[in-house]
Amino acid sequence: MKYGVKAAIFALMALMMTACVTVEPDKPVIINGYAGYLEKVTLPQGCKINIAIIDFNTPGLIISQKTFDIARAPVPFKFTLPAEGIDDDIDYGVVAMISYQDQVIFQTYEKFPVISNDKFTTEVIMKQVQR
């Protein structure tokens, strides 16, 4: 009978200890905002927008991107990134471009930094591509 009491106490203590050790996962990093342009131009039907989170220090390194059809701008966007994937040594930023029939008609020319400057919401301004 002593063995049964000891086993019950051990099981109860083990249960209590597991209840005390709760590990909260890191909250994801959320970046959101709008991408648009200032020119008074109506977009033709069939435009696509590509919005991306990039590393400003490594040309061509895309952290995350989205492409979808649009009819007008500004376009709201939201990225949810895992917190463990964020590196303090990276200068993150948002870039965007609008294309029509595989030709870029609007794009960003300036930097729109996020995350590393503790900014998680931004308005991305594109300019019309001059041909």
Side-chain angles (χ1 to χ4, degrees):
M1 187 154 204
K2 286 184 181 180
Y3 175 74
V5 172
K6 285 182 182 179
I9 290 173
F10 178 76
L12 181 60
M13 289 181 69
L15 182 63
M16 289 172 52
M17 287 176 61
T18 58
C20 293
V21 182
T22 53
V23 178
E24 290 280 328
D26 290 334
K27 291 183 179 178
V29 174
I30 298 172
I31 298 111
N32 57 40
Y34 288 89
Y37 52 85
L38 301 176
E39 290 88 348
K40 302 282 186 211
V41 176
T42 302
L43 292 175
Q45 249 185 346
C47 285
K48 292 187 179 297
I49 190 165
N50 180 294
I51 305 170
I53 307 292
I54 65 167
D55 175 352
F56 282 140
N57 297 329
T58 308
L61 182 58
I62 298 170
I63 309 300
S64 184
Q65 72 177 336
K66 297 178 180 198
T67 302
F68 47 91
D69 296 334
I70 61 167
R72 66 188 137 165
V75 177
F77 64 85
K78 179 178 181 178
F79 288 90
T80 303
L81 306 173
E84 61 272 3
I86 300 301
D87 184 341
D88 291 337
D89 295 329
I90 293 178
D91 288 327
Y92 296 95
V94 180
V95 294
M97 67 180 181
I98 296 174
S99 60
Y100 174 67
Q101 297 179 343
D102 295 324
Q103 296 290 314
V104 177
I105 57 174
F106 285 93
Q107 71 180 26
T108 51
Y109 289 95
E110 298 175 31
K111 291 185 175 186
F112 297 94
V114 291
I115 302 172
S116 38
N117 62 348
D118 287 330
K119 187 174 178 184
F120 299 92
T121 301
T122 189
E123 290 183 17
V124 177
I125 305 297
M126 296 173 279
K127 293 184 179 173
Q128 197 166 15
V129 174
Q130 301 300 317
R131 300 217 188 281

